[in-house]
Amino acid sequence: MRILRGLYGAVTLALSVVLAAAVTLTSGGSAQAGQTTLRAADPSVIRVGSTYISVQSTGGGIAVRQAASTDALGSAPARQVWSDTQGRGEVWAPELVRDGGRYYIYFTAGVGANHRMFVISSAAPDSGYTAETQLALPGDKWAIDGTMFTFSGQRWFVWSGWAGDTNVEQNLYIARMSSPTTPTGARYIISQPRESWERVVGNPYINESPEAIKDPNGQLHIVYSANGSWSDQYCLADLRLRSGGDPTYVWDWYKSNGCLFGSNSSTMMSGWDPTLYVDGPGHHSFVLLDGDIATSPPAGPRFPLMFHAVAKGTPYSWSNRYWYTGSFCWWGGVTYSRANVPGPNTDTGWGLKFFE
C-alpha cells in the first residue's frame, strides 16, 4: 500500500493522522498487492458482526460467501442462493444490502436493451431467498448496478441507466423507496458522463456502479465508476451532495475534478496519484458494518475497500479481472469546482483517498 499525495486541506496534519491510524488491514499476500484468488468482477461485501459476506454473479445465478476477513473470501465456499430458472438473461453486479435485519440482493438481469433491476430477500445471508421480483423503477428503462441505502431517514435507490431506449450514455439516477422492494415517485438524474476525464473511453460514455457513503460531516457521497469497464481507463470518481442539499436536485451534487482512484495520471484529480500495482480499478464496495452508511467511518483511520482490477503487466480484459482488497480514508478540505451551471461554482468538504 502507499499513501497518495494530497494538495488539499491541512496536508501535514491529515497525513500524520493517516500514518498514526491503528487500523490493521490485510494485504492479500499475493504477488499483486491486495489481489484475492477471486477471478471475478463487481464485488459487493458487507460486515455483519465479525463476519464478512460477499455476493457475486455466477453467470446464471448468484452466490454468497462468508469469511472472517476480506482476504479469506476467496477461499470460502460459494453457496448458490439464486438461479435463473426463468431465463432472465445476463445476471450482472449483485449488491447485498441489509435492512431491518433482512438481507436483500439487488441485481441486473436481461439481454440487450431489456436489462432491468431485480431483488431477492431472505432472513439469512446464504439461504432461503425469495423468488426474484422486478423493481418497478420509474421510467422502466435499461438499468444496471442498482443499490439501496438510507439517508436522512429516507430509503433511496441509485443506479446506472439510459435516458431513453437506446444506448447513448449511462447516467446515474436516484429514486425514493417506500420499502426495500418498492420504488416510489419519479427518477432523478444526478450525474452524466460529460467531463473530459470521464469521456476518454466511450461508446457509450458511462457513469456506473454507484455506491453511497456518508462523510464525517454527515454529507452524502456517491462514488461511481467512469470510463469503459473494458478499458484500463476505468476509475472511481466522487459525487458529494452539498450540505443540506436535496438528493434529487442534480445541481446540489458536486463532482470530483478527475478520477480519485485510477491507473492513468492524465485523468486523475490534481493531488491524486495513479495506482502502482493494478490497472483500471473500479466497481468498488465500501465494506461497512451491516452495509449501512450510518456506520460510515470517521475521519482519521483507513477502512476496508474491495474493488475489481487487472494486475499491471497483464492484458486488460474482463476475463483478467480479480477482486482486490484495499482501503480508503477521508481527506479534508477538498474543493470540487464547476462552471456554467446553477448554484455556486465551488464546494469544499471531505473527499476520499484510496489505497491499493
Side-chain angles (χ1 to χ4, degrees), residues 46-72:
I46 68 173
R47 178 169 68 86
V48 178
S50 59
T51 301
Y52 292 84
I53 307 169
S54 71
V55 62
Q56 69 185 102
S57 170
T58 58
I62 295 171
V64 168
R65 299 172 187 263
Q66 298 186 79
S69 70
T70 52
D71 282 311

Side-chain angles (χ1 to χ4, degrees), residues 312-342:
K312 281 192 181 295
T314 302
Y316 198 94
S317 67
W318 281 350
S319 61
N320 282 336
R321 294 176 297 185
Y322 281 82
W323 284 16
Y324 282 79
T325 61
S327 60
F328 71 97
C329 74
W330 293 109
W331 202 258
V334 180
T335 298
Y336 297 161
S337 61
R338 63 191 190 186
N340 304 317
V341 298

Side-chain angles (χ1 to χ4, degrees), residues 95 145-151 156-158 174 190 209-215 219-224 238-239 253 284-288 291-297 328 330 352:
E95 283 281 326
D145 294 353
T147 190
M148 188 194 73
F149 63 93
T150 298
F151 177 69
W156 300 90
F157 196 79
V158 62
I174 196 168
I190 60 172
S209 314
E211 296 289 342
I213 193 165
K214 191 163 65 172
D215 73 25
Q219 289 173 239
L220 178 63
H221 294 245
I222 301 291
V223 178
Y224 67 96
D238 181 33
L239 293 173
W253 291 94
H284 69 298
S285 183
F286 294 116
V287 185
L288 302 178
D292 184 356
I293 69 168
T295 68
S296 296
F328 71 97
W330 293 109
L352 300 107

Side-chain angles (χ1 to χ4, degrees), residues 180-327:
T181 58
T182 309
T184 183
R187 69 171 183 168
Y188 301 90
I189 195 166
I190 60 172
S191 182
Q192 294 174 279
R194 300 294 174 82
E195 302 300 321
S196 60
W197 52 267
E198 56 185 353
R199 295 173 68 88
V200 179
V201 173
N203 193 25
Y205 298 113
I206 66 165
N207 285 176
E208 64 183 16
S209 314
E211 296 289 342
I213 193 165
K214 191 163 65 172
D215 73 25
N217 286 343
Q219 289 173 239
L220 178 63
H221 294 245
I222 301 291
V223 178
Y224 67 96
S225 297
N227 289 309
S229 65
W230 55 92
S231 158
D232 65 5
Q233 294 283 349
Y234 207 48
C235 70
L236 294 184
D238 181 33
L239 293 173
R240 181 175 63 219
L241 184 68
R242 71 170 181 83
S243 181
D246 178 358
T248 69
Y249 181 54
V250 64
W251 303 123
D252 278 351
W253 291 94
Y254 285 76
K255 182 177 292 191
S256 59
N257 298 116
C259 303
L260 301 186
F261 194 39
S263 56
N264 292 275
S265 59
S266 62
T267 58
M268 301 300 291
M269 182 165 165
S270 179
W272 271 251
D273 290 340
T275 50
L276 286 174
Y277 307 111
V278 301
D279 284 329
H283 204 126
H284 69 298
S285 183
F286 294 116
V287 185
L288 302 178
L289 178 62
D290 294 321
D292 184 356
I293 69 168
T295 68
S296 296
R302 293 188 289 190
F303 285 80
L305 173 83
M306 294 201 77
F307 59 94
H308 79 232
V310 173
K312 281 192 181 295
T314 302
Y316 198 94
S317 67
W318 281 350
S319 61
N320 282 336
R321 294 176 297 185
Y322 281 82
W323 284 16
Y324 282 79
T325 61
S327 60

Side-chain angles (χ1 to χ4, degrees), residues 40-129:
D42 310 333
S44 176
V45 184
I46 68 173
R47 178 169 68 86
V48 178
S50 59
T51 301
Y52 292 84
I53 307 169
S54 71
V55 62
Q56 69 185 102
S57 170
T58 58
I62 295 171
V64 168
R65 299 172 187 263
Q66 298 186 79
S69 70
T70 52
D71 282 311
L73 287 169
S75 58
R79 183 163 184 176
Q80 190 96 350
V81 298
W82 178 83
S83 296
D84 184 13
T85 59
Q86 302 300 312
R88 299 286 186 182
E90 298 161 330
V91 179
W92 293 347
E95 283 281 326
L96 181 62
V97 173
R98 197 165 185 245
D99 184 285
R102 191 170 179 84
Y103 296 88
Y104 295 85
I105 298 176
Y106 301 92
F107 62 95
T108 303
V111 177
N114 293 319
H115 281 90
R116 296 295 188 272
M117 293 301 310
F118 293 82
V119 62
I120 57 178
S121 68
S122 176
D126 63 350
S127 64
Y129 279 86

